[in-house]
Amino acid sequence: MNKPLIKSWSYSRLVEYELCPYRSKLKIIDKIPEPDRPLPPGKTEHANDRGTRIHNELENYIRGTGAFPKEAHRFELEVNAIKRAYEEGKVSLEGEWGFDRNWQPCDYKTAWLRVKLDVSYLRTKKHLIVVDYKSGRKDGNEIKHGEQVMLYGLCAAIREPSVEVIDTELYYLDQSPGDDGSKNFSSTSKPASKWLYHLKAFNNRGLKMTNATEFPPMPSAFACQWCPYKDGICEFAHSAKPVRRKGGVFVRRKGQ
């Protein structure tokens, strides 16, 4: 039996793997660096770099070591409430939670599942709030973000067995509240026991990824759109001419 090649997963890794296993092979197994990308027209930083910067600035502000980031102005009241709770010792920032294959908490560096949280706020001994900051679009990402907080709630319930209620909150920093009543945040509150209902599904998905020994490409316009390997590295990247299958292996047509 072939030995599994990917030892750990996170939600972001899982999304990439399910979109295209071959991309995970290039990134995690072959360790091919992502090529430098040109900046989008009119931009001074890439979206993911901007998101990292804002997250770091929010962390520094809450810790009392930096200024409030202007991009978070829509959530100034909420962030200041977190800052006060942090000063009272009720908040953990940038928590690195690790779990082994039995879903038991373990060291983050050697974990099978790795979860990194922006804010974990123990409001009372029985009530935990998990906060995740989101830069960029809300529309079109609802399913992905919803799944992400399902995993956060599940992991919080495992780590904090004495907690009875767990809230997950998403702050969409770039989105203004809509005139139609649409919100720029998302909040879900459940009894801790109900978050545990998601364990089986995530366990199966994580095992599929970390037990895999083959990583077939799954090219499509959607999967390849934001893939860093699509230009000049991945030979299967989606193009105007379709990729066909021959004997279970993806091959390019002549002239591609």
Side-chain angles (χ1 to χ4, degrees):
M1 182 176 178
N2 294 331
K3 185 178 180 181
L5 299 173
I6 296 178
K7 296 181 179 179
S8 65
W9 65 285
S10 63
Y11 183 73
S12 59
R13 277 190 173 190
L14 181 66
V15 170
E16 289 180 350
Y17 171 79
E18 292 177 340
L19 199 59
C20 179
Y22 190 70
R23 175 176 175 176
S24 295
K25 177 182 182 296
L26 295 175
K27 181 176 181 178
I28 302 171
I29 300 171
D30 299 341
K31 300 185 185 303
I32 297 177
E34 296 184 6
D36 293 334
R37 300 160 295 159
L39 283 171
K43 301 292 185 180
T44 59
E45 56 188 337
H46 290 289
N48 57 342
D49 294 335
R50 176 177 178 269
T52 298
R53 173 181 60 78
I54 296 171
H55 278 67
N56 290 339
E57 289 177 357
L58 279 165
E59 180 186 357
N60 291 338
Y61 174 74
I62 292 170
R63 292 186 188 278
T65 59
F68 187 87
K70 63 181 184 299
E71 290 92 344
H73 68 93
R74 296 185 180 92
F75 290 92
E76 187 170 359
L77 290 176
E78 290 83 356
V79 172
N80 279 321
I82 293 171
K83 187 175 189 296
R84 290 192 295 272
Y86 175 80
E87 293 166 353
E88 296 171 0
K90 297 179 179 180
V91 167
S92 173
L93 300 174
E94 295 298 317
E96 295 181 338
W97 293 357
F99 298 85
D100 63 22
R101 282 178 175 252
N102 295 315
W103 289 83
Q104 294 302 304
C106 68
D107 183 77
Y108 183 82
K109 293 181 180 179
T110 58
W112 173 67
L113 165 61
R114 296 172 181 169
V115 174
K116 194 165 186 177
L117 303 179
D118 292 335
V119 175
S120 176
Y121 172 18
L122 193 61
R123 188 175 183 183
T124 70
K125 291 181 179 180
K126 301 296 184 181
H127 185 189
L128 179 70
I129 302 173
V130 173
V131 177
D132 193 51
Y133 309 126
K134 294 296 183 188
S135 57
R137 291 173 56 86
K138 176 182 178 182
D139 296 341
N141 289 311
E142 292 91 346
I143 294 176
K144 181 172 69 173
H145 294 166
E147 282 194 336
Q148 186 177 16
V149 295
M150 283 181 191
L151 182 60
Y152 288 172
L154 164 62
C155 291
I158 294 172
R159 278 182 57 94
E160 305 290 345
S162 63
V163 168
E164 295 178 357
V165 177
I166 297 171
D167 297 353
T168 59
E169 298 182 351
L170 296 173
Y171 294 178
Y172 290 93
L173 305 178
D174 291 334
Q175 180 166 321
S176 300
D179 295 334
D180 60 355
S182 60
K183 299 178 180 179
N184 60 349
F185 68 92
S186 175
S187 179
T188 303
S189 180
K190 292 182 184 180
S193 59
K194 289 195 174 181
W195 288 108
L196 294 173
Y197 293 170
H198 303 297
L199 191 151
K200 183 177 180 180
F202 277 114
N203 185 64
N204 289 342
R205 293 167 69 184
L207 285 175
K208 183 176 181 180
M209 178 179 178
T210 55
N211 288 340
T213 57
E214 297 181 356
F215 300 87
M218 296 174 61
S220 70
F222 178 75
C224 298
Q225 182 179 10
W226 306 114
C227 179
Y229 303 113
K230 68 178 180 179
D231 296 322
I233 295 178
C234 178
E235 60 181 308
F236 304 105
H238 177 80
S239 65
K241 296 181 180 179
V243 174
R244 62 188 175 91
R245 296 190 67 158
K246 181 179 180 181
V249 178
F250 285 85
V251 296
R252 288 190 173 280
R253 297 185 187 277
K254 291 182 180 180
Q256 283 187 270

